[in-house]
Amino acid sequence: MPEGLWQKCISCKEPVWQKDIDSNFQVCPKCNHHYKIGAVDRLNLLFNGSWQEMDAGMFSTDPLDFTATKPYKETLDGLSKKSGSLEAVVTGSGRIGRHNVVAAAMEYGFIGGSMGSVVGEKITRAIENAILTHAALIIVSCSGGARMQEGVLSLMQMAKISAALSRFDREKLPYISLLTDPTTGGVTASFAMLGDLNIAEPEALIGFAGPRVIEQTIRQKLPEGFQRSEFLLQHGMLDAIVERGMLVPYLLRSLNFFVG
Ligand SMILES: [Zn+2]
């Protein structure tokens, strides 16, 4: 048996055909576990394969000349060579049904989908483009939060994107935020929770600080399922949980509702 045809599902531990997962939007056909999908695959899913990328050549210049376990520049070079993408977000425009849509999808494979200056700038430009072209906006979050290698410059992106969203809001155009596993830190604390609709994929980890930090701070045991989509929906932090296979019909219905 050639390798890679079968895979043991990390959630239900059942053997599943890789091609059954691939043809099911990277969702386990046996237990419905939603595997992470890359930014380009996500935009292909949203736009049925037909979209134009925006600001593709933008990359970080390491403004702080930062070194963690290794120099930040080396990390950036290595990742862009390995993954072919230059940053942790891909933005583009296309159509969902009759609606013009500008979308941004975050790439977890690029430093944990972390938000640095380029992520902030690309999302801000996407929002400004949506204003200019009178398009709806969809942002798909998948991120560990702000990018520490860019220090305060990454934190400033929270304010920059939120300000752009506020200008977008004044145009009475719809913004749908989709939170996927995981959406945490400064991304949750800014644009991911500012949608006209905030929706999530099943069982996504969504929060600001991690559960261990919270338990140590409040000295209490956290309830079961804390910071998962289902818990957040129950407690009024989300508007809906949408399975990946139902995502496009759901978005189309919502856009029809908003735009009329
Ligand atoms: Zn499974």
Coordinates of all heavy atoms in Angstrom, one line a residue, residues 184-185 206-214 226-227:
T184 N -6.7 33.7 18.4 CA -6.4 34.2 19.8 C -5.6 35.5 19.8 O -5.3 36.0 18.7 CB -5.5 33.1 20.5 OG1 -4.3 32.9 19.7 CG2 -6.2 31.8 20.6
G185 N -5.4 36.0 21.0 CA -4.5 37.2 21.2 C -5.1 38.4 20.5 O -6.3 38.6 20.4
I206 N -11.0 29.7 20.4 CA -11.1 31.2 20.3 C -11.0 31.8 21.6 O -11.7 31.5 22.6 CB -12.5 31.5 19.7 CG1 -12.7 30.9 18.3 CG2 -12.7 33.1 19.6 CD1 -14.1 30.9 17.8
G207 N -10.1 32.8 21.7 CA -9.9 33.4 23.0 C -8.9 34.5 22.9 O -8.3 34.8 21.9
F208 N -8.6 35.2 24.1 CA -7.6 36.2 24.1 C -6.3 35.5 24.7 O -5.4 35.1 24.0 CB -8.0 37.4 24.9 CG -7.0 38.5 24.9 CD1 -6.5 39.0 23.8 CD2 -6.4 38.9 26.1 CE1 -5.5 40.0 23.8 CE2 -5.4 39.9 26.2 CZ -4.9 40.4 25.0
A209 N -6.3 35.4 26.0 CA -5.2 34.7 26.7 C -5.5 33.2 26.7 O -6.6 32.8 26.6 CB -5.0 35.2 28.1
G210 N -4.5 32.4 26.8 CA -4.7 30.9 26.9 C -5.3 30.5 28.2 O -5.2 31.2 29.2
P211 N -5.9 29.3 28.3 CA -6.6 28.9 29.5 C -5.7 28.8 30.7 O -6.1 29.1 31.8 CB -7.1 27.5 29.1 CG -6.6 27.1 27.8 CD -6.1 28.4 27.2
R212 N -4.4 28.4 30.5 CA -3.5 28.2 31.7 C -3.2 29.6 32.3 O -3.3 29.7 33.6 CB -2.2 27.6 31.2 CG -1.5 26.8 32.3 CD -0.7 25.6 31.7 NE -0.4 25.8 30.3 CZ 0.8 26.1 29.8 NH1 1.8 26.3 30.6 NH2 1.0 26.3 28.5
V213 N -3.0 30.6 31.5 CA -2.8 31.9 32.0 C -4.0 32.4 32.8 O -3.8 33.0 33.9 CB -2.4 32.9 30.9 CG1 -2.3 34.3 31.4 CG2 -1.2 32.4 30.2
I214 N -5.2 32.1 32.3 CA -6.4 32.6 33.0 C -6.6 31.9 34.3 O -6.9 32.5 35.3 CB -7.6 32.4 32.1 CG1 -7.5 33.2 30.7 CG2 -8.9 32.8 32.8 CD1 -8.6 32.9 29.8
F226 N -14.4 25.4 27.5 CA -14.1 26.9 27.6 C -13.2 27.3 26.4 O -12.3 26.6 26.0 CB -13.3 27.1 28.9 CG -12.9 28.5 29.1 CD1 -13.9 29.5 29.4 CD2 -11.6 29.0 29.0 CE1 -13.6 30.8 29.6 CE2 -11.3 30.3 29.3 CZ -12.2 31.2 29.6
Q227 N -13.6 28.4 25.8 CA -12.9 28.9 24.6 C -13.0 28.1 23.3 O -12.3 28.3 22.4 CB -11.4 29.1 24.9 CG -11.1 30.2 25.9 CD -9.6 30.5 26.1 OE1 -8.8 29.6 26.0 NE2 -9.3 31.8 26.4

